[in-house]
Amino acid sequence: MTISSIMHPLLDKNSAQLDMLRLDLLHPTISGNKWFKLKYNIQAARAENKTCLLSFGGAYSNHLHALAYAGKEFGMKTIGIIRGERVENPTLHDCEKWGMQLCYISRSDYRLKADEHFLAAIQEKFPHAYIIPEGGKNALGVKGCTEILDGVDMENYDFITCSVGTGATFAGLIDANYPKAELLGFKAVKNGEYLHRSIEQYTSKRNWKLITNYHFGGFAKKNPELVSFMMDFRIKQGIELDFVYNAKMMFGLFNMIEQTTLFDQKKILAVHTGGLQGNRSLK
Ligand SMILES: *Cc1c(COP(=O)(O)O)cnc(C)c1O
């Protein structure tokens, strides 16, 4: 696993050290955290003799993108239930190219995505499908994420940071149990008051906190300040960030390094969760 050291005058000024764990470099297509969330779900699907993987997402979903590719690699059919009306974009184009069947449902129906009766109806319609929740957020997804930091020398770090969508990745990092470090999860969504409790469902550890004020107006929202931060980061650090998750985390982290003393003399490991396929919608 690659760890990049980040160099920046602000870090020098506060004697802080910042490293980035590069999950974005793990795989050319299933980049980042998504493979960790899928791994045990795919194993379970096979153990149940399911021939198809079905999940939910928006039209730019990194999760469905990874699922479609994984299905192709493992010789399983895939079905993506997409929120809203049909759109053309590179994410869905890839999904279809890799054989995923796309079903568009209304936003109001999509809200039922975790409803028992709704799921039973889907299971009846697709009896061979193993159903994975949106974002791969279930106990097996979290279990996969407990392995993200395997092989990293955790004695080194005071803080671990990652971006939070459904919270599955963050829950896994927490539950992997690095008692010396404090874990900070940067929320990529505006609302999500439920996130705190839903993370607690997967772990009883207490050494974590959600950082809530760097969502830039909501999920996948951006402004010129964020975009210029991303461009600057790519030029100065040689690392591309996705605008939905990692750019917001890194912006927030630098903002906190500048405005607080929390990170003075501390060592931080920021987990780059990948997601760069989504940046194609910026161009
Ligand atoms: C999905 C995703 C996340 C959020 O992961 P959750 O487990 O849903 O919190 C973070 N970063 C990237 C790049 C993602 O694609």
Side-chain angles (χ1 to χ4, degrees):
M1 199 91 87
T2 308
I3 293 183
S4 307
S5 310
I6 308 297
M7 304 295 168
H8 196 281
L10 262 180
L11 295 165
D12 300 337
K13 191 172 157 224
N14 298 290
S15 309
Q17 180 191 312
L18 174 56
D19 290 346
M20 245 192 149
L21 181 68
R22 304 290 305 281
L23 301 186
D24 58 313
L25 302 177
L26 269 188
H27 188 278
T29 311
I30 313 183
S31 86
N33 55 346
K34 295 302 185 264
W35 169 243
F36 290 93
K37 296 199 273 187
L38 289 176
K39 175 178 163 186
Y40 289 112
N41 277 298
I42 293 174
Q43 269 184 22
R46 294 174 127 187
E48 291 174 26
N49 291 317
K50 301 287 192 189
T51 53
C52 173
L53 303 164
L54 179 150
S55 194
F56 305 85
Y60 297 89
S61 171
N62 292 331
H63 165 64
L64 291 181
H65 192 258
L67 185 71
Y69 189 84
K72 180 179 84 84
E73 288 292 284
F74 286 89
M76 297 179 82
K77 286 180 59 179
T78 52
I79 299 172
I81 310 286
I82 319 279
R83 179 184 61 229
E85 51 299 322
R86 189 180 170 89
V87 292
E88 299 289 331
N89 71 35
T91 305
L92 295 179
H93 179 82
D94 284 350
C95 288
E96 284 195 306
K97 183 179 78 189
W98 295 326
M100 180 175 263
Q101 178 187 342
L102 304 180
C103 305
Y104 296 84
I105 65 173
S106 71
R107 283 163 196 269
S108 56
D109 280 350
Y110 190 87
R111 272 184 224 115
L112 299 170
K113 62 189 183 288
D115 176 85
E116 198 186 323
H117 302 293
F118 181 72
L119 290 174
I122 287 185
Q123 189 72 78
E124 201 174 330
K125 187 163 176 208
F126 303 106
H128 301 297
Y130 176 89
I131 299 177
I132 301 174
E134 183 187 53
K137 188 198 192 183
N138 59 12
L140 292 176
V142 172
K143 179 182 171 193
C145 292
T146 64
E147 297 173 3
I148 288 176
L149 296 175
D150 283 2
V152 176
D153 183 3
M154 292 311 301
E155 293 299 308
N156 265 332
Y157 297 105
D158 303 295
F159 288 96
I160 302 163
T161 74
C162 92
S163 174
V164 173
T166 65
T169 305
F170 190 47
L173 293 174
I174 297 166
D175 208 45
N177 194 18
Y178 305 103
K180 283 189 58 183
E182 173 158 11
L183 292 100
L184 303 178
F186 287 74
K187 260 174 52 173
V189 296
K190 183 173 172 188
N191 300 320
E193 287 71 22
Y194 57 88
L195 271 171
H196 209 275
R197 226 173 318 133
S198 91
I199 290 165
E200 283 175 340
Q201 285 180 353
Y202 295 105
T203 182
S204 55
K205 310 283 184 314
R206 293 268 168 241
N207 54 328
W208 59 277
K209 209 181 282 166
L210 284 174
I211 309 291
T212 58
N213 45 342
Y214 298 104
H215 54 69
F216 285 80
F219 185 68
K221 297 271 194 322
K222 58 183 182 307
N223 67 13
E225 196 181 14
L226 184 70
V227 173
S228 100
F229 174 83
M230 279 171 70
M231 284 164 54
D232 192 59
F233 197 85
R234 185 162 71 175
I235 292 163
K236 298 219 175 93
Q237 309 295 342
I239 299 174
E240 188 177 355
L241 303 171
D242 78 300
F243 75 97
V244 179
Y245 295 103
N246 291 289
K248 293 180 182 182
M249 168 182 72
M250 293 308 284
F251 183 100
L253 194 50
F254 272 101
N255 196 252
M256 288 168 74
I257 291 168
E258 189 172 16
Q259 298 188 352
T260 74
T261 55
L262 187 64
F263 301 111
D264 293 7
Q265 272 94 51
K266 301 293 190 204
K267 294 182 177 170
I268 312 159
L269 181 66
V271 179
H272 188 323
T273 45
L276 300 177
Q277 72 88 18
N279 279 357
R280 292 179 294 181
S281 73
L282 284 176
K283 280 146 207 163

